[in-house]
Amino acid sequence: MTDYQSFRISSVLGLALLVGAPFSLTGCANPFASFDLTGGLLYKPEIVQGNFVSNEQRQALKMGMPRAQVKDILGTPLMASVFHADRWDYVFTIRRQGVAPQSFKLSLKFNADVLSAIESDDLPSENEFVKRLVGEKKTFQPPFLQASEEDLRKYPASNSASSSVAPQAPLPASYPPLEPAGR
């Protein structure tokens, strides 16, 4: 093989790689979303992370509670660091289609296995949180579908439909047996 042929083959392969590289990564952009041909977003899955802590649960916490009692009220913390064993973080985020994203954070600090400090966002009550999950629903009013006597008089009654039906033959008094009698 001559130097010219090897140069030509390597340049063709290099050009193919250069042109084809962007197309090989197009499916890696967002593995959780589907796109139509025009580029519009068709479906985005609901993402829920963490454990929700309501305002009622927050109000049940009292300074001086032991860790076990706090864990009974709130559950296992989302983040408990080995380097910060005296701090528990409860973080909750949710993203749904048609509803604004929500995020809440609650941090607890312990001193000798006793609750010593509480820092939190403005936490909703359980009822408020449920109302936030559901977007505003549009109420559908079905149209009024009742004809008045005046509307019915506009259309003449047709007797031809009832007279075109053929009379039925009378039913037989008895039917033949389904199986032969000589069995």
Side-chain angles (χ1 to χ4, degrees), residues 2-113:
T2 65
D3 290 336
Y4 176 73
Q5 288 175 333
S6 64
F7 173 74
R8 187 173 178 200
I9 290 173
S10 64
S11 63
V12 170
L13 286 175
L15 182 63
L17 287 174
L18 183 66
V19 171
F23 296 109
S24 66
L25 297 175
T26 56
C28 299
N30 187 353
F32 298 111
S34 300
F35 292 90
D36 64 359
L37 295 176
T38 60
L41 186 64
L42 295 178
Y43 174 72
K44 189 173 183 182
E46 180 177 301
I47 300 172
V48 180
Q49 293 177 325
N51 37 3
F52 174 70
V53 177
S54 68
N55 192 29
E56 292 89 357
Q57 290 172 309
R58 162 65 179 89
Q59 297 300 323
L61 297 176
K62 305 294 181 210
M63 295 297 168
M65 289 179 116
R67 285 183 192 242
Q69 195 172 2
V70 171
K71 196 172 189 178
D72 286 342
I73 295 172
L74 300 180
T76 306
L78 181 66
M79 293 184 286
S81 174
V82 175
F83 301 108
H84 304 286
D86 59 341
R87 179 179 171 155
W88 283 358
D89 290 311
Y90 293 85
V91 180
F92 177 78
T93 58
I94 184 169
R95 290 181 182 93
R96 299 182 75 191
Q97 278 186 330
V99 180
Q102 301 179 47
S103 180
F104 307 107
K105 183 178 177 186
L106 173 74
S107 295
L108 305 176
K109 293 183 181 176
F110 295 91
N111 189 6
D113 286 343

Side-chain angles (χ1 to χ4, degrees), residues 176-183:
L178 295 176
E179 297 181 4
R183 275 197 166 192

Side-chain angles (χ1 to χ4, degrees), residues 119-133:
E119 298 173 13
S120 71
D121 294 340
D122 186 24
L123 301 173
S125 68
E126 291 178 8
N127 290 334
E128 291 171 349
F129 178 67
V130 170
K131 289 178 185 176
R132 287 184 188 182
L133 286 179

